[in-house]
Amino acid sequence: FLYDCGNQKDGWLKKAVWPGLITEWPCAANLVRQFSLNNNQIASAAAFVDVDGLSHDVAAKKWLDQYRTLWKGWVDESCNG
């Protein structure tokens, strides 16, 4: 199936960090807290490679460009908020 990423419909991303991250790199810890993707955002990344035939590097750059507002918000909120 296209756009299913092989993930379960009700699956989730698991985030794990080193406990000292909060004190050593609070900006990075906040970024991890902010980070969240929905199924369409994940599927579009996979489709750039699997459907459009892009390399992983080009697909990543395209995804970052397409979702600039999303990830820029994570960075801005995490490091300036």
Side-chain angles (χ1 to χ4, degrees):
F1 298 105
L2 294 179
Y3 303 100
D4 72 354
C5 302
N7 292 324
Q8 297 177 357
K9 183 178 180 183
D10 296 324
W12 64 92
L13 289 175
K14 297 174 183 143
K15 300 185 274 186
V17 298
W18 168 59
L21 187 69
I22 294 168
T23 55
E24 290 288 324
W25 296 289
C27 181
N30 287 331
L31 181 64
V32 172
R33 275 192 211 100
Q34 298 284 329
F35 178 82
S36 180
L37 298 173
N38 65 35
N39 190 47
N40 289 335
Q41 293 159 342
I42 296 168
S44 70
F48 290 150
V49 174
D50 296 340
V51 178
D52 298 341
L54 302 177
S55 71
H56 291 105
D57 287 344
V58 172
K61 289 174 185 170
K62 184 173 180 176
W63 190 95
L64 288 170
D65 185 52
Q66 180 175 335
Y67 290 102
R68 176 172 291 283
T69 302
L70 174 69
W71 65 261
K72 188 88 166 89
W74 299 334
V75 172
D76 290 347
E77 179 67 27
S78 297
C79 298
N80 301 321

